[in-house]
Amino acid sequence: QENRKPPRALSREDFEKIRDVVIPPERITHNIARDLFLFACYTGVPYADAVSITRENIYKDDKGDLWLKYLRKKNEYQARVKLLPEAIALIEKYRSEDRKELFPMIYHPNMRRHMKGLRDLAGISCDLVYHMGRHTFGSLITLEAGVPIETISKMLGHTNLTTTQLYARVTPKKLFEDMDKFIEATSDMKLVL
């Protein structure tokens, strides 16, 4: 059995390269693939769920904010995530009365091929797979912004925190910010050694 490394989160620099890469408009499926990947980065939605969620999965809360709620195909566990403006913009971009699903379908083998093309277009060196979007959501988009890991676990539709810890890893930026907060909070304490 081949010992493969699990997908990891993108660095902020690589994430921005993918987000900002200009794909010619005639490359329709490349654009859809990139936008589906970005949707994963902004919501943590796995590929199998991203291509099957519908308008019925979107709910408005008491404050008028939009939430995505869906049962994960993998484990039938409910995932809930408040939609960031970037995710809402992607949903709006692909709104169509011609289909129930929020996004057009790209079959998985084609998606994998488009991810390789996207990597080359964006000029990043790591192997780019769709699942990295979930890791990027867990580490870069949420944990680095201070979202507690228990909350991230619910957003990703995980059944235990151990799984979430593989997704939400402390970035160097988060480590430095947390250490600065710790030092500031303990600045008036005297350490006795």
Side-chain angles (χ1 to χ4, degrees):
Q1 174 164 341
E2 179 183 339
N3 190 6
R4 294 187 315 168
K5 289 168 95 174
R8 60 180 174 77
L10 290 172
S11 67
R12 182 157 302 280
E13 180 185 11
D14 284 348
F15 169 75
E16 289 172 356
K17 283 180 181 178
I18 290 170
R19 182 194 64 198
D20 299 339
V21 68
V22 176
I23 302 171
E26 63 272 11
R27 293 176 84 171
I28 294 167
T29 52
H30 278 87
N31 277 294
I32 296 169
R34 188 262 309 270
D35 290 345
L36 276 169
F37 179 72
L38 288 175
F39 190 73
C41 293
Y42 294 132
T43 62
V45 176
Y47 171 79
D49 298 314
V51 294
S52 62
I53 52 176
T54 68
R55 285 183 281 285
E56 284 83 52
N57 296 108
I58 297 178
Y59 298 88
K60 194 177 277 195
D61 68 15
D62 297 342
K63 296 179 186 171
D65 293 324
L66 293 177
W67 287 76
L68 181 66
K69 295 182 187 179
Y70 61 98
L71 288 180
R72 292 204 42 217
K73 288 193 179 310
K74 181 178 181 179
N75 59 13
E76 291 291 311
Y77 193 74
Q78 188 176 67
R80 301 180 293 280
V81 63
K82 187 174 178 178
L83 292 172
L84 296 170
E86 296 88 346
I88 295 169
L90 290 169
I91 291 169
E92 290 300 320
K93 180 177 180 179
Y94 291 99
R95 180 185 295 274
S96 173
E97 297 304 318
D98 297 337
R99 64 174 187 279
K100 284 181 13 183
E101 296 78 18
L102 296 178
F103 294 99
M105 168 60 86
I106 295 182
Y107 292 99
H108 197 257
N110 294 338
M111 187 68 185
R112 286 179 41 204
R113 193 177 74 247
H114 288 315
M115 293 304 294
K116 288 180 174 136
L118 182 57
R119 176 198 63 204
D120 296 341
L121 281 170
I124 62 173
S125 58
C126 66
D127 285 335
L128 186 65
V129 295
Y130 184 89
H131 203 68
M132 289 173 80
R134 278 175 63 76
H135 288 260
T136 300
F137 174 77
S139 298
L140 191 67
I141 304 298
T142 55
L143 189 67
E144 190 175 282
V147 178
I149 196 161
E150 295 85 358
T151 304
I152 296 168
S153 186
K154 295 289 184 204
M155 289 192 249
L156 289 171
H158 287 158
T159 54
N160 66 62
L161 284 180
T162 307
T163 305
T164 307
Q165 288 171 332
L166 299 173
Y167 286 76
R169 294 180 182 227
V170 175
T171 62
K173 178 178 185 271
K174 172 92 172 123
L175 177 65
F176 289 127
E177 287 173 354
D178 286 352
M179 282 306 297
D180 287 345
K181 286 180 197 168
F182 172 70
I183 290 167
E184 190 177 314
T186 59
S187 64
D188 58 348
M189 293 174 67
K190 292 211 183 325
L191 293 178
V192 179
L193 300 177

